Amino acid sequence: MKFSFRQLEKEHALSILRWRYPSPYDYYNFNVDTIQEDLCYLLDPLNAFCAILNMHEELEGYCSFGVDGQVLGGDYRTEALDIGMGIRPDLIGQGYGKHYAQAVVRYGINQYRAQQCRVTIAEFNKRAQRVWQQVGFEQMERFVKIGTEEEFVIMLYRV
Ligand SMILES: CC(C)(COP(=O)(O)OP(=O)(O)OC[C@H]1O[C@@H](n2cnc3c(N)ncnc32)[C@H](O)[C@@H]1OP(=O)(O)O)[C@@H](O)C(=O)NCCC(=O)NCCS
């Protein structure tokens, strides 16, 4: 599978805002009531969102590099490139996750010259944890997001 990466454009962002994941992954759905705010968030260069495109330039997913990937309460003192990722709902659950994750890690390391990459995943999301484990990430920490009862895990990849 061959992918290319490009800074997220407005059309990509509008598609992503409409994506709907089935429960329990509906946790990752964007809220219809906050579309304008979420659009600004996705297009803000500080959040470094990229489109993951297939060879026909079709949007298959998105990723982010940096602060977007951090969750309040995690220990981020170690220098590492934080990665976030979401794949188009009709493409998930078919065993392709590791291919996207591998491509995102390669791209991130190249772009940011990172020595370590990090992901922060909701504890319930064993599927995502499995994908990052498949490409070499190891669990380092478990914590509860400040102001919630949601548990998260931090996984690290050493280049
Ligand atoms: C997380 C995501 C990238 C995973 O990709 P995917 O294509 O759905 O995952 P795959 O189908 O490749 O499955 C990955 C592994 O998880 C396993 N898996 C699936 N459901 C599982 C579950 N409930 N518990 C444990 N493992 C599970 C699969 O069997 C597979 O492992 P295997 O290769 O050993 O068989 C994708 O689902 C996604 O974008 N989800 C929405 C957003 C999200 O979850 N974000 C989290 C941050 S990355």
Side-chain angles (χ1 to χ4, degrees):
M1 295 172 88
K2 220 169 160 24
F3 307 111
S4 62
F5 293 83
R6 196 180 313 146
Q7 190 180 345
L8 204 71
E9 292 166 8
K10 188 174 177 186
E11 275 199 18
H12 299 137
L14 288 171
S15 298
I16 292 163
L17 290 170
R18 286 195 299 269
W19 289 356
R20 290 292 169 263
Y21 297 103
S23 176
Y25 305 105
D26 51 354
Y27 176 82
Y28 297 97
N29 291 346
F30 284 92
N31 191 330
V32 284
D33 298 328
T34 55
I35 285 182
Q36 264 323 312
E37 282 162 56
D38 292 338
L39 185 61
C40 289
Y41 182 82
L42 288 171
L43 297 178
D44 185 340
L46 287 176
N47 295 323
F49 276 92
C50 287
I52 306 174
L53 304 171
N54 65 19
M55 57 194 288
H56 307 294
E57 298 269 296
E58 293 159 344
L59 182 68
E60 293 207 351
Y62 64 90
C63 56
S64 69
F65 298 104
V67 284
D68 167 69
Q70 298 188 352
V71 172
L72 212 58
D75 179 355
Y76 297 105
R77 284 172 296 181
T78 307
E79 196 176 330
L81 177 65
D82 287 292
I83 295 177
M85 182 174 83
I87 303 304
R88 215 173 70 205
D90 60 305
L91 298 171
I92 65 173
Q94 300 171 61
Y96 304 139
K98 54 182 171 292
H99 301 294
Y100 294 104
Q102 185 76 70
V104 169
V105 168
R106 282 207 191 113
Y107 177 76
I109 289 171
N110 256 321
Q111 285 290 113
Y112 294 90
R113 300 280 154 218
Q115 295 302 307
Q116 299 196 96
C117 297
R118 182 167 51 207
V119 291
T120 303
I121 312 281
E123 208 283 329
F124 82 85
N125 194 347
K126 300 294 184 198
R127 180 168 68 182
Q129 289 170 44
R130 175 87 184 116
V131 162
W132 292 107
Q133 182 196 37
Q134 282 173 326
V135 299
F137 284 65
E138 286 174 45
Q139 190 172 319
M140 304 302 288
E141 192 199 333
R142 186 181 279 257
F143 67 97
V144 175
K145 180 180 177 181
I146 293 175
T148 75
E149 291 182 353
E150 296 166 4
E151 255 193 280
F152 283 82
V153 299
I154 291 181
M155 300 176 76
L156 199 67
Y157 173 85
R158 293 189 178 86
V159 177

